[in-house]
Amino acid sequence: MEPVLEVKIGCLFAMLVVTLVCGLIPICFKCFQIETFKGQLPRGLSLLSCVSAGVFLGAGFMHMTVEALENIEFEIRQLRVKNSGGNSSGYPNSASKEYSYGGLIISLGFFFVFSLESLALQCCPETIGKPKVQEEEVSEAHIHGFHSHKHSSLPSLSRKPFRALILLLSLSFHSVFEGLAVGLQTTVPTTVQLCLAVLAHKGPVVFSVGLRLVQIGTAPRWAMFCILSFSLMSPLGIALGLAVPTGDSEGGQGLAQAVLEGVAAGTFLYVTFLEILPRELAAPEAPMLKWACVTVGFAFMALIALWA
């Protein structure tokens, strides 16, 4: 067996194990279970959630969006050079070269999920209903004579299961392409370096995903199934990379992959800004401390982006 192949198989198992462990920690340990606290989120867990929100924000801006923009623009340049017969200076001042196709594709991914969610709410308005926590507060108020609650209830949005699904799908797309990039490497040093870079930001992200699944009340069995499915995406990408013969991509395969990465980045940004950040910043307690925690999570991913 060739050394490169051995290293890639090792990377496959490393990604599987690291993703599983980091994702299952918030699901398996009682200290992360919201039910334990009877609707009141402890200060420490609330701040940890803010850090995870910053991790999602950093992953969206510093990794997924940047990689999608670079890959889309690179593939479009390659396509222009190919169509111009190898003359790369054929479009020096054209408006088409200035246009941000990457930004357009990422925005289309954002609006695609926006339209899906709006269509679902339009066709099935009965699914909106009252949030679960709000219904519990109303029922408790009737029982106790409309006494005010002194604890801070967890905000619960009716769209969370849909957005959690979109979050997992977008991250899964991205994970497949990350694994594919590792599987397509031709030398041992580049394979190891890229694998370590992927693991550096995948660990915090999948931990945040597990914490998010716990917070929206996902049953432990389904949460474990989601983490297991997500953990298989990067190994699947590596396996696909091993199966693909080396050489330049033909027939627009590289451009198609870049477009899918852009769509995945847009869907990830949608969930980050419309589900994750609003949830963490909804409660008025300690706003500056929450800002600091979100900043710490973002800064951590930004530092990883320096070498990942």
Side-chain angles (χ1 to χ4, degrees), residues 102-265:
L104 175 63
I105 292 172
I106 293 174
S107 301
L108 288 177
F110 184 97
F111 280 100
F112 174 70
V113 183
F114 189 14
S115 63
L116 281 183
E117 183 173 291
S118 301
L119 182 62
L121 295 175
Q122 178 71 29
C123 297
C124 306
E126 67 277 2
T127 61
I128 299 179
K130 288 185 177 180
K132 188 177 296 184
V133 171
Q134 182 179 347
E135 292 176 352
E136 292 175 356
E137 290 180 352
V138 172
S139 62
E140 289 181 11
H142 282 290
I143 293 174
H144 298 289
F146 295 93
H147 290 307
S148 61
H149 297 284
K150 294 184 179 180
H151 66 266
S152 174
S153 297
L154 298 174
S156 177
L157 301 176
S158 59
R159 307 179 190 181
K160 286 190 297 182
F162 177 80
R163 288 175 176 171
L165 176 62
I166 295 299
L167 174 66
L168 284 171
L169 288 178
S170 63
L171 285 174
S172 296
F173 268 117
H174 187 67
S175 296
V176 170
F177 295 133
E178 286 178 334
L180 184 63
V182 174
L184 291 175
Q185 299 304 307
T186 57
T187 64
V188 172
T190 56
T191 302
V192 174
Q193 181 180 7
L194 186 57
C195 178
L196 291 176
V198 171
L199 289 176
H201 75 268
K202 183 175 287 293
V205 168
V206 72
F207 176 85
S208 300
V209 169
L211 185 62
R212 184 64 45 189
L213 291 173
V214 170
Q215 289 181 340
I216 66 174
T218 308
R221 182 180 303 177
W222 282 107
M224 291 180 182
F225 176 77
C226 291
I227 294 298
L228 176 60
S229 301
F230 177 59
S231 301
L232 293 174
M233 294 299 105
S234 289
L236 175 62
I238 295 179
L240 291 176
L242 292 174
V244 172
T246 57
D248 296 332
S249 59
E250 298 293 341
Q253 294 178 3
L255 181 59
Q257 175 181 329
V259 168
L260 288 176
E261 287 181 333
V263 172

Side-chain angles (χ1 to χ4, degrees), residues 29-50:
F29 287 90
K30 288 291 184 181
C31 59
F32 296 102
Q33 304 297 322
I34 292 179
E35 294 82 0
T36 306
F37 308 105
K38 300 179 180 179
Q40 185 177 8
L41 196 63
R43 174 63 63 86
L45 188 54
S46 176
L47 297 181
L48 181 61
S49 299
C50 291

Side-chain angles (χ1 to χ4, degrees), residues 251-285:
Q253 294 178 3
L255 181 59
Q257 175 181 329
V259 168
L260 288 176
E261 287 181 333
V263 172
T267 60
F268 185 86
L269 291 178
Y270 178 88
V271 177
T272 300
F273 281 102
L274 294 184
E275 163 64 21
I276 296 172
L277 284 176
R279 174 184 171 85
E280 303 307 334
L281 302 179
E285 293 84 3

